[in-house]
Structure formats: C-alpha cells, structure tokens
Amino acid sequence: MLTVLFDGIAYGMVLFILACGLAVTLGLMNLVNLAHGAFAMAGGYAALVLVNAWGVPFLAALPLVFLATAALGAVMERTLYAQVYARSHLDQVLFSVGLIFMAMAVVDYAAGPSQQFVRIPDALRGRIEVAGVGMGIYRLLVIGICGAVALALHLALARTRFGSQLRAAVDDARVARGLGIDVGLIFTVTFAVGSGLAGLGGALGADILGLDPGFPLRFMIYFLIVVTVGGTASIPGAFLASLLLGIADVAGKYYLPSMGAFIIYGVMLAVLVWRPQGLFGRAGAR
Amino acid sequence: MTAAPEETARRQLAGLARWRPAEIAFWVLVLAAYFLFPQRAALIAEVAVIALFALSLDLVLGYAGILTLGHAAFFGWGAYAAGIAAARGWEDPVLGLLLGGGTAGVLGLLGAPLVLRGGDLTRLMVTLGLATVLHELANRFTGLTGGADGLQGMNVGPLLGKFEFDLEGHVGAAYALAVLFLAFLLLRRIALSPFGWSLRAIRANPLRAAALGIPVRRRLVAAYTIGAALAGVAGALLAQVTQFVSLDVLSFQRSADGLLVLLIGGVGWLYGGLVGAVVFKLMQDLLSSLTPQYWQFWIGALLVALVLLGRDRPRAWIAGLRRPAERAAP
C-alpha cells in the first residue's frame, strides 16, 4: 500500500518536471504548446546517446541533457515559437501538432520505432526498506531531484527579480517594455528553462514512463491534465495536480488492472465538474 | 419607403444564400470526377469520407469556434456503431448510417456540457480525453469491436434494397458522394441561416453575442451535437464503404488529419473542407509512395509551414479568383 503510494509519488514527480515548463509557458505566457512532450522526448534520447553510446555517467548526463534541451528550446523559440505568440489558440494548436509529427518522424528515422532504455548505474538499481516500506533507490533519487527543482522553481518565480519581470511581461508586455524590461529575452529564457526541465524529466522518466517515438502524443493528455487540473499560473497547483495524477494512475493500474487506464480520466472529470477552473485556479478561464 | 428591419435582414440573408455559378461548377466537377475516373472509385469514396468529416469539424471549430483535439471520437463511434450493426445482421446501409450518426449525436449532446465547461485549454483536454477513452474502450472490449485486429464479418446489404456494393467500389463511391452532398446541403442551410450567423457572432465575441440576446450556451451545444452527428455519419460511411473498422478510426491521427484538411482548405468556409480533403488525400498518397515510413514528417512540416505563412492564404488565393462582390460565399 505504502509502496504503491511511494511509486505514485515518484511517477507524479516525474510528471511535474515534465509538465512544469508547460504550466509556465501555457499558464503564464498563454502559448498552447502541445509539442512540449517533444522536448521531453528529445531529452530522453539525448540521455540515451550520452549514457549508452558515449559512456557518460548517468548523473553527470542529467545536467548536460538539461542544457542541451534548453538550448534546443531557445533556438526553437527564437526561430519558430516567437512567430506564434500573438496568434489564436487554434493556430498554436495546429503549429505544435505539426511539430509533434515532425519530431516523431525524425526520432523514428534516427532511432527506430522500438522502445529504448537508458542504462542506469547498478548502484541506483536496488531497493531499500524503510520502516517496512520497500523503496527503489532510483525512485528515491527521482523524488529528491524533482522536489528540489520544484522548490527552486517556485522560489524563482515568486521571489526573484526575474520572476517578477516575467509576471510583469506576461500581464502587460507593452508596459513592461516601457519599463525597460527585455520582454523577448525573458520569454526566450523562460521557454528555454521550461524545455530544459522537460528534457530533464524525459531523461529521468525514461525508466518509469518508457521512451519511444510515440512519447509526445502518449503524454500530451497527461500534460494537459496537469496544467488544467492544477489551474494555470501556479507552480504549487501544478505540483499537487501532478502528484494526484501520478498516485491515481499508479494506484489505479495496481488495484484495478482492467480499468486502470480510465482512472485518470475519472479524476480529470471529477475535478472538472467540481472546479472547472482547476483545483487552484483563478476565476475567469483563458 | 423603407422596409421593416426584419424584412431587410431576411432579404440580405436570402441574398447571401443564393447558389453562385462557381458553387454549381464545383459540384459538376465532382460529378464529372466520378464518371471520368471509374478505376479510382475507392479513392473518391475515401475523399468523400474525409471531406464529410472535415465539414463536421468545421461546424464545430470554424463556425462555433470550439477548439477540439478529439473529433475522431464521434467519427469512430459512428464507424463502430454502423460496423457492429452490420456485423450483427442489421444490414441496411441507410439504417446503419442513421444509427451511427444518431448515436454519435447523442454522445455529442452528452459530452457538450463537459466540453463547454471551461476555456480553450479545458476543451482541448476534454475532447482529447474523450477520444482517448473511447479508443481505450474499443481496444479493451474485443468481443464487441474486435480490438486491435479490427472488426471482422461486416455484412452490408444492398443500398436502398437495389444496388449491391461491388468490389470496384462504384456503388460505394456514388453512395459516399450522395451522402456528402446531402450533408453539404444541410450544412450550407445551417451556415447561412440566422442560427449559423449567430454561431459566427459567438465565435467572434461570446460576451457581445450574449449581450445581443443570443443564447450562447444553447447554440454551442446545438452546434457541437450536429457536428458530432455528422462526424458519426462520416465514420459510418467509411465503415460501410470499406466493410471494415479498425482502431485507427478513433486515433489522434484521425482528429489531426481533420484539422490539417481544414487548414489546407480554410477554416470557417464549407468549401474549405471539400477542397482540403481532395488536396490532403492526393498529397497523402503521393507522400506515402515517396517515403512510405516517414510521410508523417511532411504532414507535420506542412502544418507548421501553413501556420507560419498564414492559414488564410490558400483561401485568399481562391477568393482572389472570383469577383470581389462574391466573397461572402458560404
């Protein structure tokens, strides 16, 4: 029972890392980027190349993956996404679905359609027993890293100068520009960090979620649920929504294997009926 | 002497609803294609199905402005409803069509309150979720749907009790085109009615539309239901013409294809779905013969390129061919 809870928390933590970038770009910058999962997939495959092919130690590969996907995100933002900020949601949806298809075909071409596994060091493979609860060391590590990232992210948005500049740029880009804030740069950095985190999540979660060319589509619904259930524009909201989703999904698949796949949709519907703006949402949907 | 405002409005709407020569020419071309390419009957039927699906999506997305990622839910529901009916001895194709469309419409009516509950983002999630759940259900209940192997043993009776479906697909193509045309007439009527104009008003500004006294919610529910029913008809049509239903009728790819068709042809314009379907199918055939495995890449590249270039451009080219006065076509 507690083991299921523990696995659920680890799963939810990975979901949070994957989706938090989207919570910011979608929630704060109002950019419907359905291709967010493609960055996560890029991170997973970057980890695959670094660890399996080049022999970089797993833990050392994680920051590299973050940097690589963040750089990819920055380039994509400057060249492509910057063009669609001001467009309608429909345009953004079509645009990012197109990116998903391209990313899936590229990965299929480069790495093949089968599922891939990132080699995790043996030291992280074992399980330890704490007060009668079996916990995988790898999952413990995942929870540690993701928890730290979540805290750092929340503080960065709520407490730092950059965070307030971002919020100002989002609330009114023109006035923010008038105050000397470089809105374009802020958006680029935010997008890059969000993509980098997605990449990190893809690398960390490859072992838990699986990694194949279908990844962006398979998890698109999870990301959307995290962002909508968590309510846009709040890191703690997205965090709790991820945990709820992770625990519900793992527990559902464990206790009700035949209906497990439907549990998360049940949770989604319940939250939606109960609180249409999300658990922690502000009134007035975008 | 000036006419009463209602009279003027009615006359204006009637003027917009007149059939234009270009429209008649379009349908003559469609009919000609059927007779000129008898060996391509299967392709024509497929294009008709895609066009019908795109039309139903256009009503929801283009006219009512409801963002959806899961319109395939209704398409697949209609396909399975008609397919299972045919496999269980309910052989009449028209009945199957009505069954597919009717039940999909009910599903749309039931789903509408959930879909319309939140903003754009919630709509994306709920529509996508609905399609995913149905896909999962169809995959799970193998006894009813055949699961991943597809639905076997469909037995579609002769059309109207007279025309047996032939192997070359001539009857199928004629049937598909006839259904498409009837659905088009219905949608054209809807789009040019006060109801259709009120949908456009809602899409442009829901708040102002409500202030004008338009019952926004009820209109959106109605549009969503009709769109769902027509998508169900399209699915049922596909099932009957190909005599087979597989899980991909419910796939995300199917919903995305619909979006791409509308993107190619133009959103919020009935002929957009029709033109888009033709271009899409020809392109898909060409690309999948050039790069069988990776044609998805080019589909994605096209989506990105069309959005970046401005998705109204193809439509503007077509509109440029006509006289400016005729630009208010449906």
Side-chain angles (χ1 to χ4, degrees), chain A residues 7-229:
Chain A
D7 282 354
I9 291 174
Y11 188 67
M13 288 280 197
V14 173
L15 280 182
F16 170 73
I17 291 293
L18 284 170
C20 65
L22 189 68
V24 174
T25 46
L26 211 161
L28 285 180
M29 285 148 71
N30 202 16
L31 170 74
V32 183
N33 178 22
L34 296 178
H36 191 72
F39 290 99
M41 181 173 69
Y45 278 93
L48 195 71
V49 172
L50 282 172
V51 175
N52 291 14
W54 297 358
V56 179
F58 182 74
L59 289 177
L62 291 178
L64 292 177
V65 166
F66 173 79
L67 291 177
T69 35
L72 177 70
V75 171
M76 294 288 284
E77 199 270 349
R78 278 289 84 183
T79 52
L80 294 174
Y81 281 100
Q83 325 259 338
V84 294
Y85 279 132
R87 300 290 195 80
S88 67
H89 281 167
L90 175 60
D91 272 343
Q92 294 171 353
V93 164
L94 295 167
F95 173 79
S96 49
V97 167
L99 285 184
I100 290 182
F101 284 159
M102 287 167 80
M104 284 168 65
V106 165
V107 167
D108 193 353
Y109 177 76
S114 59
Q115 189 163 0
Q116 307 279 342
F117 298 95
V118 178
R119 212 178 299 136
I120 290 168
D122 292 335
L124 296 176
R125 279 266 167 233
R127 291 177 83 80
I128 50 171
E129 196 104 351
V130 177
V133 185
M135 294 192 277
I137 296 177
Y138 182 69
R139 277 160 209 250
L140 215 51
L141 175 83
V142 166
I143 292 179
I145 294 178
C146 297
V149 168
L151 192 64
L153 205 62
H154 178 60
L155 291 179
L157 277 178
R159 297 281 167 81
T160 63
R161 190 177 172 77
F162 180 83
S164 31
Q165 283 182 335
L166 173 64
R167 278 177 284 130
V170 167
D171 275 347
D172 195 326
R174 260 177 70 187
V175 172
R177 243 178 239 121
L179 290 170
I181 296 173
D182 188 343
V183 173
L185 182 70
I186 297 237
F187 277 12
T188 307
V189 171
T190 309
F191 191 92
V193 171
S195 311
L197 286 176
L200 182 66
L204 270 179
D207 195 58
I208 299 175
L209 308 174
L211 188 63
D212 62 84
F215 185 91
L217 277 188
R218 199 145 32 84
F219 285 95
M220 188 162 76
I221 182 83
Y222 285 77
F223 300 154
L224 283 173
I225 293 175
V226 166
V227 178
T228 35
V229 169

Side-chain angles (χ1 to χ4, degrees), chain B residues 72-100:
Chain B
F74 306 113
F75 184 85
W77 180 279
Y80 272 112
I84 293 168
R88 301 278 160 109
W90 221 22
E91 293 184 356
D92 188 79
V94 176
L95 265 182
L97 210 60
L98 293 178
L99 178 76

Side-chain angles (χ1 to χ4, degrees), chain B residues 69-140:
Chain B
L69 278 179
H71 207 53
F74 306 113
F75 184 85
W77 180 279
Y80 272 112
I84 293 168
R88 301 278 160 109
W90 221 22
E91 293 184 356
D92 188 79
V94 176
L95 265 182
L97 210 60
L98 293 178
L99 178 76
T103 51
V106 171
L107 187 68
L109 186 64
L110 294 178
L114 281 174
V115 172
L116 298 175
R117 210 171 157 81
D120 280 350
L121 182 61
T122 315
R123 289 175 184 179
L124 289 176
M125 177 187 77
V126 174
T127 51
L128 182 63
L130 184 62
T132 317
V133 166
L134 283 184
H135 188 274
E136 194 59 36
L137 283 174
N139 191 19
R140 201 57 64 85

Side-chain angles (χ1 to χ4, degrees), chain B residues 287-308:
Chain B
L287 288 176
S288 54
S289 66
L290 285 179
T291 53
Q293 224 178 330
Y294 308 112
W295 64 273
Q296 216 184 23
F297 178 86
W298 300 108
I299 295 285
L302 187 76
L303 271 168
V304 171
L306 277 173
V307 170
L308 289 182

